[in-house]
Amino acid sequence: MEPLLKRCRLCPHACGADRTAGETGICGADARLKVARAALHFWEEPCISGTVGSGTVFFSYCPLHCVYCQNAEISGGQAGAEVSTGRLADIFLELQGQGAANINLVTPTHYIPHIIEALARATERGLALPIVYNCSGYEGVEALRRLDGLVDIYLTDFKYMDVSLARRYSRAADYPLAAKRALREMVRQAGEAEFDEKGLMRRGVIVRHLLLPGCLEDSRAVVRYLYETYGNKIWLSLMSQYTPVCKERLPEELRRHVRTEEYDALVDFAVGLGIENGFLQEGEAAGESFIPPFDLTGVLKSSQVFG
């Protein structure tokens, strides 16, 4: 673990922070592992949550700093507790014991070395669930290659094709290029989707795209790229749930919800291209009630918590 954290280049920022010496990378994390919630989650795509729930582990901090982040409490590191990799292994097994459909790692990028170690420990003790890598899409290819054979399902965002939007909203002008490279590696590893008899995904790639207010043309460009590059080899999840949290901190154009006609236009565009494998969001998806409480549920165990 230590060499990967000594001069950190896990994400495309490649900031080089010596996290082993207490330095924090652009993500905000040092070498200590911090988790904010571990529980069954029922609001992922149907083939991930099923009826039993996805065993979701929310990690603190994030390599991206999206101005509209709905999970800012954890992406900024305000929520979460420090745990050992041994405790993380326990958490995986506890979620399996609760009947989880899979182990769902949310914003895991900056903790890849910890996760690899925890998965090895948990597997030795009987962990047998599919592993879901649930990320922003801003991933380093070399880091992803370390997960080859460990991750079964990649559940990744593809946020922008427009460099200016990536710079303005996520402080990462290289996001489109990084996301393209990362997705290519994810597809290489996971291949075409496989499902069990209950309709749960056992292997494959789901690409999420969140429609932002006023960004319909860029969203069309994202969808077009994904379909022209991968066809129906991947599954596409078109999301309408954008929620303007802390409006006073947002650019003026992001202080509203996505309009129904905007989302419908994106769906019509995707259908017109010929996309067959996908998920849509309808009803009250754009609501803060869909943001879980980051209250350390499932995280703490006194003998293994350090902070």
Side-chain angles (χ1 to χ4, degrees):
M1 189 188 308
E2 186 171 340
L4 293 176
L5 301 177
K6 186 77 175 174
R7 188 169 173 78
C8 190
R9 281 175 165 71
L10 290 173
C11 84
H13 286 305
C15 66
D18 184 356
R19 293 168 60 187
T20 65
E23 293 180 12
T24 56
I26 290 176
C27 63
D30 57 22
R32 294 170 294 181
L33 174 63
K34 196 172 180 181
V35 179
R37 180 180 175 86
L40 298 180
H41 190 58
F42 295 88
W43 300 110
E44 306 288 29
E45 285 74 7
C47 64
I48 299 296
S49 289
T51 59
V52 296
S54 178
T56 307
V57 182
F58 290 89
F59 295 97
S60 302
Y61 300 110
C62 180
L64 284 182
H65 297 278
C66 302
V67 295
Y68 52 83
C69 181
Q70 296 179 104
N71 294 339
E73 189 179 358
I74 56 170
S75 64
Q78 293 90 344
E82 183 188 338
V83 300
S84 67
T85 54
R87 174 59 190 149
L88 183 59
D90 290 343
I91 288 170
F92 295 159
L93 292 166
E94 288 164 9
L95 290 169
Q96 179 171 265
Q98 293 170 33
N102 44 59
I103 299 298
N104 185 354
L105 310 171
V106 181
T107 321
T109 312
H110 45 296
Y111 292 129
I112 284 176
H114 309 75
I115 289 167
I116 290 173
E117 182 176 318
L119 285 174
R121 293 188 182 199
T123 300
E124 288 178 355
R125 295 165 54 196
L127 180 67
L129 295 178
I131 305 302
V132 180
Y133 190 88
N134 187 339
C135 66
S136 71
Y138 193 64
E139 304 292 317
V141 172
E142 290 303 316
L144 289 175
R145 285 176 180 160
R146 295 180 180 273
L147 299 170
D148 195 356
L150 299 177
V151 169
D152 302 285
I153 300 164
Y154 282 99
L155 179 57
T156 180
D157 291 347
F158 200 114
K159 297 179 182 292
Y160 322 99
M161 285 293 284
D162 188 319
V163 169
S164 64
L165 290 179
R167 180 188 297 112
R168 178 169 172 78
Y169 295 152
S170 295
R171 305 182 199 174
D174 62 335
Y175 180 93
L177 180 58
K180 288 178 182 178
R181 290 172 173 171
L183 181 56
R184 187 181 308 121
E185 175 62 18
M186 293 174 191
V187 173
R188 184 193 71 78
Q189 289 185 26
E192 293 195 41
E194 298 174 8
F195 300 86
D196 67 14
E197 66 282 357
K198 297 179 180 178
L200 292 171
M201 183 175 278
R202 309 300 292 180
R203 188 172 186 82
V205 178
I206 299 174
V207 181
R208 287 172 165 171
H209 177 70
L210 175 66
L211 176 61
L212 297 175
C215 295
L216 178 58
E217 287 309 308
D218 188 60
S219 290
R220 284 173 170 152
V222 169
V223 170
R224 182 185 298 109
Y225 169 78
L226 294 173
Y227 184 66
E228 290 179 351
T229 306
Y230 298 103
N232 285 304
K233 189 173 185 178
I234 62 173
W235 284 67
L236 182 62
S237 183
L238 296 179
M239 306 176 76
S240 62
Q241 70 180 47
Y242 172 75
T243 303
V245 179
C246 298
K247 291 185 179 182
E248 66 278 4
R249 300 180 186 176
L250 292 173
E252 181 66 32
E253 68 272 18
L254 295 184
R255 296 179 184 177
R256 65 170 176 87
H257 291 278
V258 169
R259 299 188 181 101
T260 300
E261 56 268 27
E262 291 175 304
Y263 184 68
D264 288 347
L266 180 60
V267 171
D268 289 345
F269 178 77
V271 171
L273 284 176
I275 293 175
E276 298 174 357
N277 297 338
F279 302 97
L280 307 178
Q281 280 190 328
E282 297 177 346
E284 299 299 321
E288 294 183 43
S289 61
F290 283 74
I291 302 171
F294 301 117
D295 54 4
L296 303 184
T297 295
V299 175
L300 298 177
K301 191 172 181 180
S302 59
S303 62
Q304 292 179 300
V305 175
F306 301 91

